[in-house]
Structure formats: C-alpha cells, structure tokens
Amino acid sequence: MFKKKWWLIAALLLVCTIIAYFVFGKKAAGPSAVAKVKKEHFRDVVVSPGELMAENTVYIQAPPLQTHQIYEEIKIQDMVTEGITVKEGDYIATLDPAVVNKKIGDVQLELDRSITTLSQTALDTTLQMRESRDNITNLRFQMEQKKIALELSKFEPPATIRQAELDLEKADRDLKQLGEKYKIQQRQATAKMEQAAREVKRKQEQLAALEDLRDKFRITAPKKGLLVYIPDYSTGGKKKAGSAIRSWDPRICMLPDLSTMLSKTYINEVDISKIKKEQKVSMGLDAFPEVKLTGIVTSVANIGENRPGSNAKVFEVLIKLDKVDSILKPGMTTSNNILINQIPDKLTIPLESVFSEKSKSFVYLRRGNGIEKHEVKLGKSNDEVVIVEKGLEAGDEVYMSEPESAKHHSLVVLK
C-alpha cells in the first residue's frame, strides 16, 4: 500500500515540475542573444546549390541502331562497377543481342527467299528463251519452204504466183518480228536476273552488317578515364545492368576528364538578371565542409526551363573551378556563392535581428541594461546580413530575437 502511494506522489511531483517549467520557466528566461553592428565589406551574393561535372566528357555509346532499322529498346546485359579507372580497350559492358538476333533471323529468311527467287528466275528465263529460239528456228524453216513454193509457182497462173509471194513476205515479216521480240525478251530476262541478284546481294550485306553490329555489343573503353554512370531519365535512377538503351539516346556511361571541372547550378528568374559571365564564385562541398573552392561564371542560359516538381522558371549557369582537387568527383553537391557586388565600409546586422511594423523596420537595441525599440533605414541584403543606412552605429548591440518585454516598448523613430 505504501509502495503504491509512493509512486503516485512521484508522478504528481513530475507533472507539477513540467507544468512549472512551461508556465514559469519561459517567463524567467532572460533576453535572447545579441549581435554587434559591424563595419565591413558588404558582399551581395546569390546562393545556389550545384552539382559537379567534368568540363569535357567522353560518352560511351551503343553502336548505331537506327541505321539498321532497329528502334526497339536494347537492354544492358552487364556493366562494370561505377567509379573504376579503365584503360583504352578495357571491357565496359555487354548489350543484350536478343533484338538483333531476331532481326538476323528475319533477314536470313528473306535472304533464303531471295536466293530461291533468283534460282526460279534463272529457270524461267532459260525456258522462255529456249522456246523463243525454237520458234525462230521453226519460222526460218517455214520461210525456206515459202521460197521453194514461190520458185515452183513460176509456171502457175499469176494469182497463184502472187499468193506464193505474199506467203513468203508474211513469213519474212513474222521472222523479223520474232527476232525483235527475242531481243526484248533477252533484255527483260537480263533485267530480272540482275534485280534478283541485287536483292540477294542486298540481303547478304544486310545480314553481314547485323552480324557485325552484334559483334559490337561488347563495349570497350575508347580511352583511359574514370567510369561514371549517367542518369536514366525514364526511371529516375542511373543506367546500369538491366537498364534500356534507346535509338534516340544510345549513351551507356561516360568517361569525364577530371582535369577541368564545372559546377552546374540553376538560378531562379528573380535573380538571373544579376548573374553575368566572369563573376567570381566561392563554393563549398557538402561532402567535405572543410574544403573551400573558387570559380568563375562561364555560361548563363538565355532560355529558362522548368525543373521537375516545380512550375517556376530556372536558368542554367555553369561555373568553372579555378583549381581541381583529387577528392572532387562528378555528381558531388556544391554550395555556390556568386559574388554580384562588393560594397566597402558598410554597417551590417544579421537578418534575424530586423523586425517590421506598419511598413517600418526596427531593431531591439541594447542600451546598458535596458532595451530600446529603434527604427532603422536598411539598404541591400544578402542571405545573411543587411546594410544599415541609418539608425545604428558600429559596435551597437542588437537582439537576435524579440525580447519578452517587446510589447512594453514604444518605437523610437528616425529623425
């Protein structure tokens, strides 16, 4: 019984302690942290995250597919691990030959049909030409008979002689016509044979080209470099074993030249007018916060684009690094601080110390042990500080958050 009462008393004390902290603790808290008004060089900067990339990159691609009338997806059957250093001629990947094998089978069937057509055409033309030659021989024999009949009719009546002459003339005309027809048939037979032979040759060349294409499905490195996977926009990941290669985008992976590197960033439409070529940039690496880098803006896009998941327009900006470190790798995230302008000898305070009321900006100024709610005239700002044009002096101290007693202070306006 005593034990249960002890636990009940302990629970009540704990609840009372928590309530006392929230009710009385905050009221007992003193004023928040303060910051000194500084006189310094004000840096007007645009801050934007970026991604490292090589300035010059060799893309390893699949062999041309469209030239072989292949428009289906080709799967990457196997690929070496990302991040390894390869030499020229080293193995990179193997593409699945299933689509090409099917195409080879189809063309082989077409080749077989073409060869059959060529053989049949040869037989048909041989028989046709033999028949025509036989007809010509028969007509020549008939013409000889007509000549003999004409010679024998010279003692016959004129009408019989004339009939024999007409028969001979007709036989001569038929022979000439058949001779002309034979020449045309020869040309036709030659054309048919040439066409059939060309079709066979075309299919043979197509088959050889497809077999050569299949041999190129074993991909090797064109030069020495660091192998890096590339984005697969259809899946949102990277191209690797199992990914698809399409005829309109035959890239498999890349070999970036890490001797010169860029940070690619996207600037919103509000700030893009401030960005110019040759502006200096200081940047950090998310992966290595202690590393500080510098660069210069080398390219500013003229046309905006929509980034995934946003309707706002952004503009691509490329920043070239002044120096390249061995720890830098493509795809690393950078924080880019693009210097727009630098103004010397300006009073600055943190943005957190500025408050506003009825279109007036003010600060909570520490005066000895007291607090003064003091109006200030502000100038340009960046992501951290704002210029104070009027209302403060160097060395003044301002509160970083609104004091508990703020509601009891009246605003001291500027004169």
Side-chain angles (χ1 to χ4, degrees):
M1 183 65 126
F2 175 77
K3 196 171 184 181
K4 288 184 179 179
K5 286 183 178 179
W6 185 86
W7 277 108
L8 182 61
I9 293 169
L12 288 171
L13 286 173
L14 178 61
V15 171
C16 290
T17 302
I18 294 171
I19 293 171
Y21 170 78
F22 283 103
V23 173
F24 303 107
K26 289 187 178 179
K27 290 184 180 178
S32 63
V34 296
K36 282 192 175 184
V37 180
K38 297 180 181 178
K39 192 168 190 179
E40 60 182 356
H41 291 328
F42 172 78
R43 290 167 56 86
D44 184 8
V45 297
V46 171
V47 180
S48 179
E51 183 177 303
L52 285 180
M53 58 182 287
E55 184 175 19
N56 300 303
T57 297
V58 172
Y59 285 95
I60 299 175
Q61 304 189 55
L65 303 173
Q66 286 182 327
T67 53
H68 300 276
Q69 288 78 50
I70 295 176
Y71 303 99
E72 297 91 338
E73 293 181 349
I74 302 292
K75 295 289 185 181
I76 300 175
Q77 204 169 57
D78 176 61
M79 190 188 297
V80 297
T81 307
E82 182 180 28
I84 67 170
T85 300
V86 296
K87 302 188 295 294
E88 182 179 352
D90 280 358
Y91 170 78
I92 297 294
T94 299
L95 304 182
D96 186 353
V99 173
V100 177
N101 286 339
K102 182 179 182 304
K103 189 81 172 176
I104 288 173
D106 293 341
V107 173
Q108 183 64 60
L109 288 174
E110 293 170 3
L111 174 60
D112 293 342
R113 284 196 292 267
S114 297
I115 292 172
T116 301
T117 300
L118 177 62
S119 300
Q120 189 63 49
T121 302
L123 288 172
D124 291 345
T125 53
T126 299
L127 290 173
Q128 186 181 29
M129 298 310 294
R130 180 181 295 174
E131 183 181 353
S132 296
R133 286 194 296 272
D134 289 343
N135 291 335
I136 290 173
T137 301
N138 292 335
L139 275 177
R140 284 176 178 164
F141 179 74
Q142 292 175 15
M143 191 171 176
E144 289 297 321
Q145 288 180 322
K146 300 298 181 183
K147 285 181 180 179
I148 294 170
L150 179 60
E151 290 176 0
L152 293 174
S153 67
K154 59 183 177 181
F155 300 107
E156 299 293 332
T160 303
I161 295 172
R162 182 57 184 157
Q163 184 61 52
E165 290 175 346
L166 291 174
D167 290 342
L168 180 60
E169 289 175 6
K170 183 178 183 304
D172 183 57
R173 187 168 62 249
D174 289 344
L175 182 60
K176 288 179 179 179
Q177 289 176 348
L178 193 58
E180 292 297 325
K181 183 180 179 181
Y182 181 75
K183 291 178 182 178
I184 294 172
Q185 286 176 331
Q186 277 185 316
R187 290 197 294 271
Q188 288 177 335
T190 301
K192 285 181 181 179
M193 287 296 296
E194 288 177 350
Q195 182 179 0
R198 279 197 302 269
E199 184 64 16
V200 170
K201 184 180 179 181
R202 189 174 72 84
K203 292 301 178 184
Q204 288 173 335
E205 290 174 348
Q206 188 178 357
L207 185 62
L210 286 169
E211 289 173 343
D212 181 59
L213 174 68
R214 184 175 57 186
D215 292 341
K216 293 177 180 176
F217 272 26
R218 185 181 187 277
I219 310 298
T220 57
K223 57 174 287 189
K224 180 182 177 181
L226 178 74
L227 186 134
V228 178
Y229 290 175
I230 63 174
D232 186 348
Y233 298 108
S234 63
T235 63
K238 290 185 175 182
K239 287 186 179 179
K240 54 183 183 295
S243 297
I245 300 297
R246 299 165 183 84
S247 57
W248 49 268
D249 183 15
R251 299 177 304 163
I252 299 172
C253 54
M254 61 182 177
L255 297 176
D257 179 1
L258 302 183
S259 61
T260 56
M261 299 193 75
L262 305 171
S263 175
K264 179 167 70 173
T265 185
Y266 292 91
I267 306 297
N268 61 55
E269 54 190 327
V270 175
D271 293 326
I272 192 61
S273 60
K274 302 176 186 178
I275 309 299
K276 311 291 180 192
K277 286 184 180 181
E278 307 300 322
Q279 286 175 336
K280 294 182 179 180
V281 183
S282 59
M283 65 181 75
L285 284 175
D286 288 2
F288 302 97
E290 70 281 3
V291 175
K292 302 301 177 186
L293 306 168
T294 59
I296 190 169
V297 175
T298 58
S299 172
V300 181
N302 293 320
I303 300 174
E305 57 183 281
N306 288 104
R307 298 293 288 165
S310 172
N311 292 325
K313 289 287 184 183
V314 293
F315 295 76
E316 183 184 277
V317 173
L318 298 180
I319 301 162
K320 184 174 181 179
L321 277 63
D322 293 329
K323 271 176 50 177
V324 175
D325 195 286
S326 59
I327 65 171
L328 301 181
K329 298 289 185 289
M332 283 185 170
T333 305
T334 62
S335 56
N336 302 309
N337 297 276
I338 306 172
L339 181 60
I340 308 303
N341 192 16
Q342 186 166 275
I343 308 172
D345 300 328
K346 287 292 182 180
L347 296 178
T348 64
I349 55 174
L351 290 173
E352 294 93 329
S353 65
V354 178
F355 305 88
S356 62
E357 184 179 274
K358 296 180 180 178
S359 74
K360 291 184 183 293
S361 298
F362 61 90
V363 297
Y364 289 102
L365 180 63
R366 182 154 78 175
R367 293 291 195 192
N369 292 326
I371 297 174
E372 187 176 286
K373 187 177 179 181
H374 203 82
E375 182 186 5
V376 289
K377 182 182 178 183
L378 304 177
K380 290 185 174 182
S381 66
N382 57 29
D383 283 359
E384 296 179 354
V385 299
V386 60
I387 293 175
V388 180
E389 300 288 2
K390 190 176 180 182
L392 295 175
E393 300 290 338
D396 285 345
E397 293 181 331
V398 293
Y399 287 98
M400 299 288 285
S401 60
E402 192 172 67
E404 291 286 340
S405 59
K407 60 183 178 181
H408 302 300
H409 297 285
S410 57
L411 182 65
V412 180
V413 297
L414 293 172
K415 295 180 181 179

